[in-house]
Amino acid sequence: RRFPWHGLFIGDVAGQRGMGRGCVDFPVHNRRHVRRYVGDGMVGVAFSLWSIAGLASSVFVMLYFSKSESGPLRATIGKRAIGLVVQTMDGKQITFNQGLSRFFGRGLSSAIFCIGYMMAGFTEKKQTLHDILTKTEVLFKGDDEASTR
């Protein structure tokens, strides 16, 4: 017996045509199952809404990280909670384009077993790959090197 949530973490299994190809997939992983729950006329609408929701959430996350790190507080909520700031190598606020580059660079940093993140343990200024590529650094707000605003 299959449940509505069958395939939630499966993605595309054994050649079945699923909507997504990542860790999280549409709760049912092929059109036959979608028809069972939403009817024949709504299959395209269900997949379209799922795609729009995924795209909207991706854009939101991208803008959140880019705007937060390039904004006047120079940090996301999590970074602020532990006292970190993101800045250029000369201590200035990063631009939105640098924040956007940092966001996409995180994908590169985690692409091969997170080696880009592990680089922080071996570089002089403790920078990750996406920090090096965008010429930024992450410091504790109280450090002498971190400029205060």
Side-chain angles (χ1 to χ4, degrees), residues 17-50:
R17 289 177 294 142
M19 210 295 280
R21 296 290 184 262
C23 301
V24 178
D25 200 354
F26 196 75
V28 287
H29 51 238
N30 68 31
R31 290 181 184 267
R32 182 173 49 94
H33 292 292
V34 173
R35 281 189 197 97
R36 189 163 121 200
Y37 294 104
V38 298
D40 283 334
M42 295 297 290
V43 172
V45 172
F47 281 104
S48 295
L49 290 175
W50 188 255

Side-chain angles (χ1 to χ4, degrees), residues 96-145:
F96 178 77
N97 287 340
Q98 282 177 308
L100 201 58
S101 298
R102 273 179 54 82
F103 175 79
F104 287 114
R106 285 186 186 104
L108 186 60
S109 289
S110 60
I112 303 173
F113 304 113
C114 296
I115 290 174
Y117 286 105
M118 290 184 231
M119 288 175 59
F122 303 101
T123 58
E124 183 181 335
K125 291 192 167 244
K126 306 297 182 199
Q127 291 176 290
T128 58
L129 178 61
H130 56 273
D131 287 327
I132 293 169
L133 293 175
T134 58
K135 297 177 177 60
T136 59
E137 59 186 351
V138 179
L139 297 171
F140 282 102
K141 196 171 187 175
D143 284 354
D144 292 334
E145 296 176 15

Side-chain angles (χ1 to χ4, degrees), residues 67-85:
K67 292 295 279 180
S68 296
E69 292 176 349
S70 65
L73 297 175
R74 299 184 293 163
T76 59
I77 293 170
K79 284 185 179 76
R80 276 188 273 165
I82 58 174
L84 295 175
V85 293

